[in-house]
Amino acid sequence: MEEITLRKAQKLESLPKDIDTLDLIINQFSILKGIEISEVEKLTPNELVEKANELEFLKELPLPKKADKIKVNGRKYKLVDFSKMSLGQMVDIEEYYNEGLVDNAHRILSVLFLPVERKFPYLKETIISYEPDEVRENDMLDCDMETIWGTLLFFYLGEMKYTKGLLDYLEGAVQMKEKEILNQLREKMEKESQ
């Protein structure tokens, strides 16, 4: 599979939906190879057909797989422990998500993956506290989509299970509260009738 960065994936996603097949192939190839459209248009029809066949992998989705550590542009990042996320991180993720998942995936990922440092060679790495950071956001744009998409899918599927579990719990809690209220009403009515 061709290595696609989040930056390239966002450009591919921004292509018009009503574009004809030939223009789509030309634009996709231009984005993936980082060459001008005019250079792609210089290809012969046979070469373009070969290039179109090379783009078939775009129809395949990576498997959901969590990446705990990534290295981008020479910098190391580690996935945050979700049980230790700050309220600020959660608010920023929600805000970025509401502004558009695809356009802001790099910002969301910059909240989830924080820089690591090692103060001394024999100590284990520690995650640096969260602060919004443009350098980290740009690094996430350069991360490969297989890692990014796999991690996003992993957490999306986990979130779906968590949400279902939470809804089941809340429904049970509501039923328990309803029973409690009914019992209190019965007791009150019995006391009043005596």
Side-chain angles (χ1 to χ4, degrees), residues 7 68-79 109-110 113-118 125-128 133-144 147-148:
R7 185 182 314 273
D68 289 321
K69 292 181 181 181
I70 58 175
K71 188 173 183 178
V72 187
N73 297 332
R75 289 180 276 277
K76 292 181 184 180
Y77 296 98
K78 187 172 182 182
L79 192 63
L109 291 163
S110 77
F113 285 98
L114 297 179
V116 294
E117 68 178 0
R118 188 179 301 215
E125 296 174 330
T126 57
I127 295 179
I128 297 174
D133 182 53
E134 198 170 313
V135 170
R136 193 169 62 250
E137 290 176 9
N138 284 322
D139 279 352
M140 294 304 124
L141 284 169
D142 292 331
C143 192
D144 70 280
T147 299
I148 296 305

Side-chain angles (χ1 to χ4, degrees), residues 25 34-35 44-45 51 114 144 155 157 177 185 190-191:
I25 292 168
I35 59 176
T44 67
K51 302 303 179 193
L114 297 179
D144 70 280
F155 286 107
L157 295 173
K177 195 65 171 170
L185 282 173
E190 287 174 2
K191 286 180 184 177

Side-chain angles (χ1 to χ4, degrees), residues 7-75:
R7 185 182 314 273
K8 287 179 182 178
Q10 286 177 332
K11 286 180 184 177
L12 289 170
E13 185 62 30
S14 71
L15 290 173
K17 302 300 180 219
D18 59 351
I19 194 170
D20 69 53
T21 304
L22 180 60
D23 286 335
L24 178 65
I25 292 168
I26 290 170
N27 280 278
Q28 286 176 333
F29 193 74
S30 169
I31 291 168
L32 290 173
K33 296 298 181 182
I35 59 176
E36 295 296 320
I37 289 176
S38 59
E39 292 299 312
V40 179
E41 290 173 339
K42 291 178 183 177
L43 297 171
T44 67
N46 286 339
E47 291 171 325
L48 192 57
V49 168
E50 286 177 29
K51 302 303 179 193
N53 290 336
E54 291 177 21
L55 299 178
E56 285 297 312
F57 74 92
L58 290 174
K59 297 175 185 173
E60 302 168 17
L61 290 177
L63 298 172
K65 181 181 174 192
K66 181 175 83 166
D68 289 321
K69 292 181 181 181
I70 58 175
K71 188 173 183 178
V72 187
N73 297 332
R75 289 180 276 277

Side-chain angles (χ1 to χ4, degrees), residues 147-169:
T147 299
I148 296 305
W149 188 249
T151 300
L152 288 174
L153 275 175
F154 177 84
F155 286 107
Y156 171 76
L157 295 173
E159 179 66 24
M160 295 299 289
K161 288 178 184 176
Y162 170 77
T163 302
K164 183 184 178 332
L166 182 60
L167 287 174
D168 291 346
Y169 168 78

